[in-house]
Amino acid sequence: MDNDRPPEFPQPTGRTLLIDGAWRAGAESFARQDPADLATVTGTFARARAEDVADAYAAAGRAAPGWAGTTFDRRATVLHEAARIIERNLDTAAERLTADMGKAIGDARLEVQRAATIFRYFAGELSQPTGETYDSADPSTLLLTLEDPVGVTCAITPWNFPFAIPAWKLAPAIGFGNTVVWKPAEAASGSAVFLARALQEAGLPDGVLNLITGYGRELSSALTSDPALAAITFTGSGGVGNVIRRSVADRNVKIQLELGGKNPAVVLADADLDLAADQIARGAMLSTGQRCTATSRAYVDGEVWDEFVELLRGRVEAMTVGDPRDPATDLGPAASLAQKETVDDYLALAREEGATFVCGVDQADHECFVSPTVLTGVSPGSRLVREEIFGPVVVLLPADGLEDALAQANDTEFGLSSTVFTRDLASALEFVRRSESGVVHVNRETAGVEPHVPFGGLKGSSTQAREQGKAARRFFTSIRTAYVRSG
Ligand code: NAD
């Protein structure tokens, strides 16, 4: 691939398995439709079989010693170059992302830029100090730790951030000297082909990154049971996370699972209500609510309930739903018909349970599009309050002060992200201390993470092997201890 030529765009045509540096087709293929217009096919992708996955692991195993033996600056050069190629092709990459899963083009561009930033961040991280030295009880011994690559790593990624999530797994995996078998979500396969080609063009040796397109449920055993597998990093739903956890439970495979969320916002009586409405509208609705960190519950103090509900209604009703390629669009379609149907089922449940639709109407006739929806009058025990909907839907519930709001916000199996809106420093700090979530915000939406700090959830949202920032080094390296005496 020439740097100035976009990588296989607009339509991959079947040769989407990257194994040992060669692109090949599968015995079968699958097509993807544009979620904004289901009549348009946006690519045909290899539907890998177990044999392809075995070939990918074999290639990753062969490449592992050589790649682990390269210098950090050689690996950093590849990551820097990948960042440069992604940025040079930013428009094309963003269009590909939008074609895959319907993200509004402005958000798609920001995500692609973020992926480039992540590659650049980890390129820099490779030159940071590694290991530690200790005093030894034996004065003639030098005692130190070494950080080595873990080995062959499997990365399984979701469709909701087709560039950013793979970037925050692949950059540290490859950067710290591991080789990778990567299985992206079916709906993100076009973006995955783009990213893999960018890394190949950046000079990654054959076999260091192997791309497997296809259906996760068909490849589960092949992906998780290969003897070469040393570590698995997965982002996706709790159900699939549990399948993966169980399938490697009796083997010593290092495992990182980042799962779903049901992220609460708390609006206290002293909050800046304009700010809270603005941030909660964004946090709940942007990316069509398909962010693991999206705000999906908001506990609003009774004193400011009426005023806040009206402000939020105004913000949400001002959002534009439509063609994701129009820069003025805030919300594109749901990523697929299946995803739209899942959201519709929750909205049907809301109607059955007698919830009030503050805004949002059923748009079942409009293919994958969903209106941003604000619900009140929902019982705290409802599935609407307890389950991840993964659509542009937020449930408002009344709260009576900080203690009550904290108790309700923490009453969930999830623990990914949370936020509080208040002008009172003591309340803000109390919320930061006691909110049971891996990421806590104050006066900000629940979504949005920066690449140089650790990211991940508590409780059912994560195995707590943190991603991003310096924390990523801990997962993608193995620590060994050396006792060194001169003779
Ligand atoms: P998903 O669990 O359906 O799929 C994720 C990946 O797993 C895909 O690549 C899929 O092909 C693969 N897969 C499916 N079945 C498999 C199996 N049996 N064995 C192995 N792999 C299998 O999730 P999704 O619908 O792609 O993504 C949405 C979910 O991801 C939401 O729950 C969201 O909260 C979560 N998510 C979490 C984070 C986070 O960092 N915590 C970030 C983004 C998304």
Side-chain angles (χ1 to χ4, degrees):
M1 182 177 86
D2 172 332
N3 278 4
D4 294 324
R5 189 154 51 85
E8 197 159 336
F9 189 81
Q11 281 208 9
T13 51
R15 287 160 58 86
T16 59
L17 303 177
L18 176 62
I19 298 175
D20 213 2
W23 289 93
R24 55 154 111 144
E28 292 177 79
S29 61
F30 64 97
R32 293 295 311 174
Q33 279 86 32
D34 188 332
D37 165 20
L38 294 175
T40 303
V41 170
T42 56
T44 304
F45 302 91
R47 180 173 171 177
R49 291 182 172 174
E51 305 86 273
D52 301 309
V53 177
D55 287 351
Y57 273 113
R62 283 193 301 275
W67 185 241
T70 53
T71 60
F72 79 88
D73 55 338
R74 160 95 176 83
R75 286 179 264 124
T77 301
V78 171
L79 299 189
H80 270 303
E81 185 60 13
R84 201 181 67 84
I85 293 171
I86 292 166
E87 278 174 345
R88 283 181 71 149
N89 293 287
L90 195 137
D91 290 340
T92 315
E95 285 163 29
R96 181 66 246 179
L97 194 164
T98 295
D100 275 351
M101 49 71 72
K103 190 168 288 192
I105 193 72
D107 290 337
R109 288 178 59 83
L110 290 173
E111 181 181 337
V112 173
Q113 179 57 58
R114 184 169 153 202
T117 303
I118 291 167
F119 276 101
R120 200 163 281 127
Y121 167 77
F122 280 107
E125 192 57 37
L126 299 190
S127 59
Q128 293 302 301
T130 84
E132 294 167 330
T133 58
Y134 296 81
D135 285 341
S136 168
D138 170 4
S140 63
T141 292
L142 176 64
L143 189 46
L144 65 148
T145 60
L146 308 168
E147 292 171 357
D148 291 339
V150 181
V152 176
T153 300
C154 176
I156 303 180
T157 52
W159 47 260
N160 64 332
F161 284 96
F163 274 81
I165 291 179
W168 80 51
K169 293 184 188 300
L170 300 182
I174 291 167
F176 291 121
N178 304 284
T179 58
V180 178
V181 173
W182 174 25
K183 161 66 185 78
E186 296 84 307
S189 300
S191 302
V193 168
F194 192 107
L195 202 47
R197 287 182 65 107
L199 277 156
Q200 192 181 28
E201 180 63 19
L204 201 63
D206 294 351
V208 174
L209 174 65
N210 302 276
L211 175 66
I212 292 291
T213 54
Y215 294 118
R217 61 179 182 276
E218 295 176 355
L219 301 172
S220 196
S221 164
L223 287 166
T224 56
S225 63
D226 195 282
L229 177 66
I232 185 158
T233 173
F234 168 86
T235 296
S237 61
V240 175
N242 280 335
V243 170
I244 290 170
R245 195 197 315 264
R246 279 195 293 271
S247 56
V248 297
D250 60 353
R251 297 172 53 210
N252 226 350
V253 170
K254 205 168 179 182
I255 181 163
Q256 178 178 59
L257 305 177
E258 281 304 326
L259 308 168
K262 188 71 187 171
N263 310 295
V266 164
V267 182
L268 296 180
D270 69 348
D272 176 337
L273 296 184
D274 275 313
L275 174 73
D278 188 52
Q279 293 290 298
I280 290 174
R282 292 175 53 84
M285 307 305 176
L286 293 188
S287 292
T288 316
Q290 300 169 135
R291 293 187 286 185
C292 53
T293 49
T295 308
S296 54
R297 304 175 281 150
Y299 298 95
V300 181
D301 197 284
E303 270 186 43
V304 291
W305 174 270
D306 291 341
E307 191 183 346
F308 178 76
V309 171
E310 278 316 302
L311 284 170
L312 184 62
R313 181 212 300 269
R315 294 298 198 289
V316 172
E317 285 182 345
M319 288 179 153
T320 311
V321 183
D323 178 2
R325 292 171 178 85
D326 181 342
T329 293
D330 297 307
L331 280 75
S336 63
L337 204 48
Q339 192 59 31
K340 149 83 172 160
E341 285 167 1
T342 303
V343 179
D344 280 347
D345 287 347
Y346 280 107
L347 297 180
L349 176 68
R351 279 188 291 273
E352 262 168 48
E353 292 184 354
T356 302
F357 284 61
V358 174
C359 52
V361 289
D362 185 5
Q363 292 199 338
D365 295 339
H366 295 72
E367 293 194 316
C368 292
F369 289 91
V370 188
S371 286
T373 302
V374 178
L375 299 173
T376 58
V378 178
S379 132
S382 166
R383 288 174 47 222
L384 296 159
V385 178
R386 312 218 71 90
E387 296 177 7
E388 184 181 47
I389 297 175
F390 226 54
V393 182
V394 63
V395 181
L396 305 187
L397 296 118
D400 182 11
L402 177 63
E403 281 302 319
D404 178 45
L406 254 173
Q408 294 198 68
N410 285 340
D411 179 18
T412 170
E413 68 183 88
F414 297 105
L416 190 51
S417 186
S418 64
T419 189
V420 65
F421 292 90
T422 178
R423 290 186 171 102
D424 178 51
L425 183 59
S427 300
L429 288 176
E430 192 66 7
F431 186 86
V432 168
R433 283 194 199 97
R434 291 172 52 202
S435 175
E436 295 169 3
S437 62
V439 182
V440 190
H441 295 267
V442 175
N443 293 321
R444 292 166 49 99
E445 59 174 299
T446 50
V449 296
E450 297 192 35
H452 60 294
V453 289
F455 172 73
L458 299 180
K459 294 157 76 174
S461 291
S462 169
T463 49
Q464 300 192 29
R466 289 283 176 262
E467 301 198 271
Q468 305 202 63
K470 291 200 182 305
R473 180 188 285 273
R474 281 179 224 136
F475 183 74
F476 290 104
T477 62
S478 295
I479 294 180
R480 292 189 304 128
T481 310
Y483 293 77
V484 183
R485 194 157 57 192
S486 56

